[in-house]
Amino acid sequence: MLILGISAFYHDSAAALVRDGQIVAAAQEERFTRKKHDPSFPSNAVAYCLEEAGCRMADIDHVVFYDKPILKFERLLETYLATVPRGFRSFRTAIPVWVKEKLFQKGMLRKKLGEIDGVKSWEGSLLFTEHHQSHAASAFFASPFKSAAVLTMDGVGEWCTTSLGHGRENQLDILKEIRFPHSLGLLYSAFTYYTGFKVNSGEYKVMGLAPYGKPVYAQKILDNIMDLKDDGSFRLDQKYFNYCTGLTMTSSAFHELFDGEPRKPETPLTQREMDLAASVQLVTEEAVSRLARFAREVTGERQLCLAGGVALNCVANGKLLKEGVFDDIWIQPAAGDAGGALGAALAVWHQYLGEERKTNGKDFMEGSYLGPAFEQSEIEKRLSNAGAVFDVLSDDDMISTTADALAEEKAVGWMQGRMEFGPRALGGRSILGDPRSPTMQKTLNLKVKYRESFRPFAPSVRREDVSDWFDLDTDSPYMLLVAEVLERRRYTPNQDEKELFGIDLLNVPRSEVPAITHVDYSARVQTVHKETNPRYWKLLTEFKSRTDCPVLVNTSFNVRGEPIVCTPEDAFHCFMGTEIERLVVGNCVMRKEDQPAHLKKDYKEEFELD
């Protein structure tokens, strides 16, 4: 039985293929089109999934779309009618698109699917799940748990913005919902917009900025904007927002409450933006904590599964784990809309078809390495055609050479095996660095990623070494938990350093691994497991043998505004457009100084800013 899941037409389009309940492949469309957050129909991602499975569209038993367009259209119409005449401008922008395209989505989907096989229309079984059903299914059915509480939180699906579910074996029941316009995701996005970042893209920047500030506005948010109850339910006062009736996120009342207009993108950050970020982050953490406590009470479960865009807030996740409300938490690595494609396919297998789950204590994501891989011979051919100059080394020599370069504080582009599914690079498509270097964070931000200097970097650490460096002793393979660097690894600040605040904290070395230690001593930890990524685990082992440090800086292999690289050519072009000093693709090793000068690019202006 082959089930193809699709998410599309909002942001982060993706496709996922499930065969007899096992995940065969999953990928986002942006990785193929090179357009960040590409919302278009995922033709390339579908074609890849079919190729990986060795089948054609004619072989697919069910195609399932990740939400229900008619319900979403109903929400839009009801919202516009409830806010007449204020919503007319937004109505005038959105409705023609819906009438032309989205109301007739069945026909459009069949046409697009048919084009992949070169026929006029695909005439197989076409199903639709609800948006938060897709999120919940991606969380529970892919998890290692036989039963669990399930929380999904995002901006909005059809009507639902937050759901509480209960998963048992192959059953998944949604018990409670919070509905639009009351949304934790849209609250966070409003502050993303107000602090000058891009909605549906810059939320993680707000999370990274928060430790530079103080939550001085948190009570103002709770007193005026958000009525947060003990059970985690909430209501948002809509006079402070503009997402129902306008084309922006915040209203004049919001601007008056916080004493100013939104920050203009790319202008200097001030302490005010840092304090706003700290405030909405604290409120979000409190809401998530209360929702989780209520989920524990209602379901009686000791395990929790999370999905939806808010589940990518790894700071909130880490604090929730530390609270001990649940014994174990599992977060879908593709928690956003891309993961809805996978959840929709799993929902059909277990809920629509009633097929059993076969849990064995491991999750079903295969380390989230579900995208394309390239054979060594193909890598060499592609790199040669791109003009690259490289050495082909044995496995041991490749690992040894890379570990040497990292110990010499060189930035290394690292492309190995299958591409990751979800927003995080997990050692398949990564830029690596030495975490002991006091200048590595600034170098990678300004000279490699071409992004804001305040942005933190994540550590990869061997699973068996994690508790020796971080206040964490559990699996975190998907970089979705934040934990503090252990006190014995930290440096004690001097008196002058203690008096610093805001962005001035950036240049203060805080631990033995300053490049991955945020200003509050936190780190977004990825545990690396020998079973799921043996090459990356071996590289960490070799680096440890040279430096006594089993940790590496791991950031996604791309520049600001660019999707993570997919192919050897993508990797080489990014290598040549930045100040990355070494590139390792499969067993091919490249040094920047050996490359033809005419192939150098300037990636600073290559992609639209995120």
Side-chain angles (χ1 to χ4, degrees), residues 48-291:
Y48 154 68
C49 288
L50 296 174
E51 181 183 359
E52 189 69 35
C55 68
R56 300 168 63 242
M57 277 306 306
D59 302 315
I60 298 296
D61 295 284
H62 300 282
V63 172
V64 53
F65 193 72
Y66 82 128
D67 69 10
K68 294 190 174 181
I70 296 297
L71 288 181
K72 189 173 286 189
F73 184 62
E74 174 191 275
R75 188 247 302 166
L76 287 171
L77 276 182
E78 287 195 25
T79 301
Y80 291 137
L81 290 170
T83 58
V84 167
R86 288 180 297 138
F88 180 72
R89 187 180 174 200
S90 179
F91 177 89
R92 186 177 60 187
T93 302
I95 290 303
V97 176
W98 273 90
V99 171
K100 183 181 178 183
E101 298 176 3
K102 299 189 180 183
L103 277 181
F104 305 101
Q105 211 158 87
K106 276 189 178 180
M108 180 171 61
L109 287 170
R110 289 192 181 281
K111 180 176 179 292
K112 292 286 188 183
L113 291 165
E115 288 173 357
I116 293 170
D117 264 2
V119 298
K120 186 175 181 180
S121 177
W122 182 78
E123 296 302 328
S125 168
L126 180 58
L127 305 170
F128 293 82
T129 57
E130 288 196 20
H131 186 94
H132 275 257
Q133 180 189 9
S134 298
H135 277 321
S138 78
F140 177 63
F141 292 135
S143 81
F145 307 139
K146 290 185 177 180
S147 65
V150 184
L151 274 177
T152 69
M153 304 163 286
D154 67 2
V156 62
E158 295 89 359
W159 279 102
C160 181
T161 69
T162 304
S163 77
L164 163 59
H166 192 183
R168 288 161 290 190
E169 299 294 348
N170 67 342
Q171 300 296 311
L172 176 56
D173 300 309
I174 304 300
L175 308 178
K176 300 280 185 180
E177 286 186 352
I178 297 172
R179 305 191 102 197
F180 183 85
H182 309 291
S183 166
L184 192 56
L186 290 176
L187 173 71
Y188 209 91
S189 290
F191 279 86
T192 300
Y193 168 81
Y194 190 65
T195 51
F197 300 117
K198 197 171 182 178
V199 173
N200 291 328
S201 175
E203 283 78 6
Y204 57 92
K205 297 184 187 181
V206 175
M207 184 179 68
L209 188 63
Y212 293 96
K214 296 180 179 179
V216 297
Y217 300 106
Q219 198 57 49
K220 184 176 278 193
I221 295 171
L222 293 170
D223 289 343
N224 296 276
I225 294 178
M226 185 185 202
D227 181 14
L228 179 61
K229 303 299 186 184
D230 288 344
D231 64 359
S233 62
F234 56 88
R235 293 184 66 82
L236 301 181
D237 188 335
Q238 289 303 301
K239 79 176 183 181
Y240 293 104
F241 302 97
N242 201 32
Y243 52 74
C244 285
T245 60
L247 301 177
T248 60
M249 293 299 296
T250 56
S251 70
S252 57
F254 190 105
H255 308 161
E256 186 177 338
L257 182 66
F258 294 108
D259 304 316
E261 293 295 309
R263 168 182 167 259
K264 292 182 179 178
E266 305 306 312
T267 58
L269 286 161
T270 68
Q271 191 61 42
R272 178 167 166 271
E273 282 80 44
M274 299 172 201
D275 292 342
L276 285 163
S279 301
V280 74
Q281 178 64 32
L282 182 66
V283 169
T284 299
E285 290 165 10
E286 182 61 27
V288 170
S289 175
R290 293 187 191 186
L291 284 165

Side-chain angles (χ1 to χ4, degrees), residues 120 147 192 327 347 395 458 516 546 563 574:
K120 186 175 181 180
S147 65
T192 300
D327 294 342
D395 282 4
I516 56 86
R546 287 157 173 73
C574 189

Side-chain angles (χ1 to χ4, degrees), residues 149 164 230-231 290-301 325-326:
L164 163 59
D230 288 344
D231 64 359
R290 293 187 191 186
L291 284 165
R293 289 179 183 279
F294 182 66
R296 168 79 179 91
E297 179 185 327
V298 168
T299 65
E301 294 288 350
V325 180
F326 289 91

Side-chain angles (χ1 to χ4, degrees), residues 6 22 34 53 99 128 206 226 289 361 367 381 384 393 402 444 548-549 556 577:
I6 291 174
Q22 299 298 309
R34 313 309 299 153
V99 171
F128 293 82
V206 175
M226 185 185 202
S289 175
K381 182 179 178 181
S384 295
L393 305 180
T402 306
L444 287 177
D548 203 30
C549 176
S556 55

